[in-house]
PDB file of all heavy atoms in Angstrom:
ATOM      1  N   ARG A  63     -21.253 -25.704  -4.512  1.00  0.00           N
ATOM      2  CA  ARG A  63     -21.124 -24.433  -5.271  1.00  0.00           C
ATOM      3  C   ARG A  63     -20.910 -23.285  -4.388  1.00  0.00           C
ATOM      4  O   ARG A  63     -21.364 -23.283  -3.184  1.00  0.00           O
ATOM      5  CB  ARG A  63     -22.339 -24.216  -6.159  1.00  0.00           C
ATOM      6  CG  ARG A  63     -23.599 -24.002  -5.354  1.00  0.00           C
ATOM      7  CD  ARG A  63     -24.845 -23.825  -6.259  1.00  0.00           C
ATOM      8  NE  ARG A  63     -26.021 -23.587  -5.430  1.00  0.00           N
ATOM      9  CZ  ARG A  63     -26.445 -22.359  -4.998  1.00  0.00           C
ATOM     10  NH1 ARG A  63     -25.784 -21.288  -5.389  1.00  0.00           N
ATOM     11  NH2 ARG A  63     -27.520 -22.226  -4.250  1.00  0.00           N
ATOM     12  N   VAL A  64     -20.286 -22.302  -4.849  1.00  0.00           N
ATOM     13  CA  VAL A  64     -20.187 -21.001  -4.179  1.00  0.00           C
ATOM     14  C   VAL A  64     -21.430 -20.175  -4.559  1.00  0.00           C
ATOM     15  O   VAL A  64     -21.606 -19.856  -5.720  1.00  0.00           O
ATOM     16  CB  VAL A  64     -18.896 -20.251  -4.547  1.00  0.00           C
ATOM     17  CG1 VAL A  64     -18.851 -18.921  -3.814  1.00  0.00           C
ATOM     18  CG2 VAL A  64     -17.646 -21.086  -4.191  1.00  0.00           C
ATOM     19  N   PRO A  65     -22.262 -19.861  -3.609  1.00  0.00           N
ATOM     20  CA  PRO A  65     -23.474 -19.098  -3.967  1.00  0.00           C
ATOM     21  C   PRO A  65     -23.157 -17.665  -4.393  1.00  0.00           C
ATOM     22  O   PRO A  65     -22.113 -17.096  -4.036  1.00  0.00           O
ATOM     23  CB  PRO A  65     -24.279 -19.030  -2.618  1.00  0.00           C
ATOM     24  CG  PRO A  65     -23.672 -20.085  -1.767  1.00  0.00           C
ATOM     25  CD  PRO A  65     -22.240 -20.178  -2.155  1.00  0.00           C
ATOM     26  N   GLY A  66     -24.025 -17.102  -5.205  1.00  0.00           N
ATOM     27  CA  GLY A  66     -23.875 -15.713  -5.579  1.00  0.00           C
ATOM     28  C   GLY A  66     -23.899 -14.807  -4.382  1.00  0.00           C
ATOM     29  O   GLY A  66     -24.546 -15.120  -3.351  1.00  0.00           O
ATOM     30  N   GLU A  67     -23.235 -13.681  -4.458  1.00  0.00           N
ATOM     31  CA  GLU A  67     -23.110 -12.780  -3.281  1.00  0.00           C
ATOM     32  C   GLU A  67     -24.436 -12.138  -2.896  1.00  0.00           C
ATOM     33  O   GLU A  67     -24.593 -11.677  -1.772  1.00  0.00           O
ATOM     34  CB  GLU A  67     -22.070 -11.709  -3.567  1.00  0.00           C
ATOM     35  CG  GLU A  67     -20.649 -12.291  -3.682  1.00  0.00           C
ATOM     36  CD  GLU A  67     -19.597 -11.238  -3.884  1.00  0.00           C
ATOM     37  OE1 GLU A  67     -19.737 -10.123  -3.369  1.00  0.00           O
ATOM     38  OE2 GLU A  67     -18.616 -11.506  -4.623  1.00  0.00           O
ATOM     39  N   GLU A  68     -25.432 -12.135  -3.774  1.00  0.00           N
ATOM     40  CA  GLU A  68     -26.698 -11.536  -3.492  1.00  0.00           C
ATOM     41  C   GLU A  68     -27.623 -12.424  -2.654  1.00  0.00           C
ATOM     42  O   GLU A  68     -28.627 -11.978  -2.163  1.00  0.00           O
ATOM     43  CB  GLU A  68     -27.413 -11.124  -4.783  1.00  0.00           C
ATOM     44  CG  GLU A  68     -28.167 -12.245  -5.502  1.00  0.00           C
ATOM     45  CD  GLU A  68     -27.286 -13.240  -6.242  1.00  0.00           C
ATOM     46  OE1 GLU A  68     -26.023 -13.063  -6.252  1.00  0.00           O
ATOM     47  OE2 GLU A  68     -27.822 -14.239  -6.764  1.00  0.00           O
ATOM     48  N   THR A  69     -27.216 -13.653  -2.475  1.00  0.00           N
ATOM     49  CA  THR A  69     -28.018 -14.588  -1.660  1.00  0.00           C
ATOM     50  C   THR A  69     -27.755 -14.359  -0.192  1.00  0.00           C
ATOM     51  O   THR A  69     -26.773 -13.698   0.211  1.00  0.00           O
ATOM     52  CB  THR A  69     -27.722 -16.034  -2.039  1.00  0.00           C
ATOM     53  OG1 THR A  69     -26.312 -16.274  -1.824  1.00  0.00           O
ATOM     54  CG2 THR A  69     -28.038 -16.291  -3.534  1.00  0.00           C
ATOM     55  N   PRO A  70     -28.640 -14.833   0.732  1.00  0.00           N
ATOM     56  CA  PRO A  70     -28.497 -14.529   2.167  1.00  0.00           C
ATOM     57  C   PRO A  70     -27.178 -14.947   2.747  1.00  0.00           C
ATOM     58  O   PRO A  70     -26.657 -15.999   2.469  1.00  0.00           O
ATOM     59  CB  PRO A  70     -29.673 -15.266   2.797  1.00  0.00           C
ATOM     60  CG  PRO A  70     -30.693 -15.345   1.708  1.00  0.00           C
ATOM     61  CD  PRO A  70     -29.906 -15.536   0.456  1.00  0.00           C
ATOM     62  N   HIS A  71     -26.619 -14.058   3.622  1.00  0.00           N
ATOM     63  CA  HIS A  71     -25.390 -14.323   4.321  1.00  0.00           C
ATOM     64  C   HIS A  71     -25.630 -14.684   5.787  1.00  0.00           C
ATOM     65  O   HIS A  71     -26.572 -14.175   6.381  1.00  0.00           O
ATOM     66  CB  HIS A  71     -24.496 -13.068   4.304  1.00  0.00           C
ATOM     67  CG  HIS A  71     -24.164 -12.572   2.951  1.00  0.00           C
ATOM     68  ND1 HIS A  71     -23.540 -11.359   2.764  1.00  0.00           N
ATOM     69  CD2 HIS A  71     -24.340 -13.070   1.697  1.00  0.00           C
ATOM     70  CE1 HIS A  71     -23.330 -11.157   1.473  1.00  0.00           C
ATOM     71  NE2 HIS A  71     -23.857 -12.169   0.792  1.00  0.00           N
TER      72      HIS A  71
END
Side-chain angles (χ1 to χ4, degrees):
R63 65 183 179 88
V64 178
E67 293 182 36
E68 81 286 356
T69 58
H71 302 171

